[in-house]
Amino acid sequence: TFRTDQDNALIYSDPPQGQNESVRKYFLDFTNYIKENLVKCGFPPCPGNIMASNPRWCQPLKVWKKYFSEWIYTPKGDSIMFSNIFFDFRAVYGDFSLEETLRDYLLNIVKDQKIFLGYLANLAVKNRPPLGFFKTFVVEKSGEHKDKLNIKIKGIAPIVDIVRLFSLEKAVRETSTLERIESLKNKHGVVKDLAEELIYAFEFLMLLRIRHQYSQVMEGLLPHNFINPENLSNLEKKMLKESFHLISKLQDLLIEKYKLLII
């Protein structure tokens, strides 16, 4: 949207024996150059250092396979967070066969890994939509964002997380949320029944977010994801509540399927 930082990584072919260090140095020099020039273009560094300039995320194919298998087979610590970030990888330049090989590897090892998928399901239901018992919006009570709600964390992110989980369950290769929903229509029972509603809700929430951030930019403000629902029209409020109800419904289905305990 109108405000984003750098999130990238690098995969390179496994180097010939004896050339690991020289190849590694070459690509680290290259990724640092890219990072510095992206900053000049207006893309600040990632606060969590999820960038190819971080040696941890500038690795040959064999190391990426090791990372993926470790995160899936031992889902503890930061494994779930890294999975959520890196399993949505998409190639932007270079030898795309490296991406395809890693994608094949991921989808092959993740299938039927119920414990790992359960952890992802738990993450997908963590942020419940901000609706109260009387169908009122639950907003921040104090602070900088008083009377507002976070449209990204409470609305967009849960849809992205849920659709990502469904995609891993059914070995879907797409990484865009909308493309995943289209691909899942004929593969996943829940998505088959709710695909159009999911697409509608996702696009509506994204529209609210982009419109809100655009108005902030026009006012010379730093854009964020907090919106005041009282500034919406009655129709928009109704559509927002329907979107939140859909997210709650999907989260409840995950809680039942994976026998999650929500506290």
Side-chain angles (χ1 to χ4, degrees):
T1 52
F2 288 96
R3 184 188 181 190
T4 185
D5 56 16
Q6 296 185 41
D7 281 298
N8 49 58
L10 189 80
I11 311 172
Y12 54 88
S13 299
D14 297 330
Q17 190 172 4
Q19 296 185 26
N20 283 328
E21 287 308 311
S22 60
V23 171
R24 182 174 176 79
K25 182 181 184 305
Y26 171 84
F27 281 119
L28 282 174
D29 289 344
F30 167 72
T31 52
N32 272 286
Y33 171 81
I34 294 297
K35 180 189 78 171
E36 292 166 4
N37 281 277
L38 282 172
V39 170
K40 293 177 183 178
C41 293
F43 295 94
C46 173
N49 207 14
I50 306 296
M51 297 178 291
S53 55
N54 179 346
R56 189 175 185 182
W57 311 128
C58 177
Q59 296 287 354
L61 180 60
K62 64 182 179 182
V63 174
W64 282 105
K65 287 181 176 180
K66 180 182 177 184
Y67 284 165
F68 281 18
S69 60
E70 287 177 348
W71 297 341
I72 290 170
Y73 296 141
T74 55
K76 58 183 180 181
D78 291 332
S79 296
I80 300 303
M81 178 187 71
F82 289 144
S83 300
N84 251 18
I85 295 171
F86 287 102
F87 286 3
D88 281 353
F89 69 98
R90 65 192 74 182
V92 293
Y93 188 79
D95 182 355
F96 280 35
S97 69
L98 292 169
E99 181 215 23
E100 294 167 2
T101 300
L102 187 58
R103 179 88 55 207
D104 289 339
Y105 181 78
L106 166 63
L107 296 179
N108 184 57
I109 65 172
V110 77
K111 61 182 179 182
D112 301 324
Q113 292 296 321
K114 297 298 183 183
I115 294 176
F116 171 76
L117 293 174
Y119 275 100
L120 285 189
N122 193 67
L123 194 65
V125 303
K126 182 179 179 181
N127 288 305
R128 301 290 282 184
L131 282 179
F133 287 111
F134 301 104
K135 296 184 178 180
T136 56
F137 293 111
V138 178
V139 296
E140 299 290 320
K141 303 301 182 186
S142 60
E144 178 185 359
H145 302 297
K146 186 176 183 293
D147 297 327
K148 299 176 182 178
L149 56 86
N150 192 318
I151 194 74
K152 176 185 176 183
I153 299 299
K154 298 295 186 177
I156 296 169
I159 293 180
V160 172
D161 290 343
I162 291 167
V163 174
R164 178 191 298 112
L165 173 61
F166 289 163
S167 298
L168 290 173
E169 287 177 348
K170 298 299 182 181
V172 167
R173 301 183 70 86
E174 286 77 13
T175 54
S176 157
T177 297
L178 291 176
E179 289 176 356
R180 280 174 164 170
I181 294 171
E182 288 293 339
S183 182
L184 285 164
K185 279 183 179 180
N186 299 318
K187 298 177 180 178
H188 198 289
V190 172
V191 179
K192 180 181 179 181
D193 294 336
L194 299 173
E196 297 308 317
E197 291 178 59
L198 257 175
I199 292 170
Y200 179 83
F202 183 75
E203 291 187 328
F204 174 69
L205 294 172
M206 285 295 294
L207 177 63
L208 286 185
R209 182 190 187 196
I210 291 172
R211 190 180 68 185
H212 168 67
Q213 291 188 351
Y214 174 76
S215 66
Q216 289 182 300
V217 171
M218 290 298 99
E219 293 173 18
L221 302 173
L222 198 63
H224 57 62
N225 298 298
F226 288 88
I227 67 167
N228 187 334
E230 292 307 312
N231 292 336
L232 303 177
S233 68
N234 288 333
L235 178 59
E236 288 171 333
K237 289 178 185 177
K238 180 176 183 293
M239 293 163 65
L240 184 57
K241 288 179 180 179
E242 289 176 353
S243 297
F244 285 158
H245 277 303
L246 175 63
I247 294 170
S248 291
K249 180 178 180 179
L250 290 167
Q251 289 178 328
D252 289 341
L253 289 172
L254 288 181
I255 291 170
E256 175 61 27
K257 178 178 179 179
Y258 285 95
K259 310 301 179 187
L260 302 175
L261 176 63
I262 306 302
I263 58 173

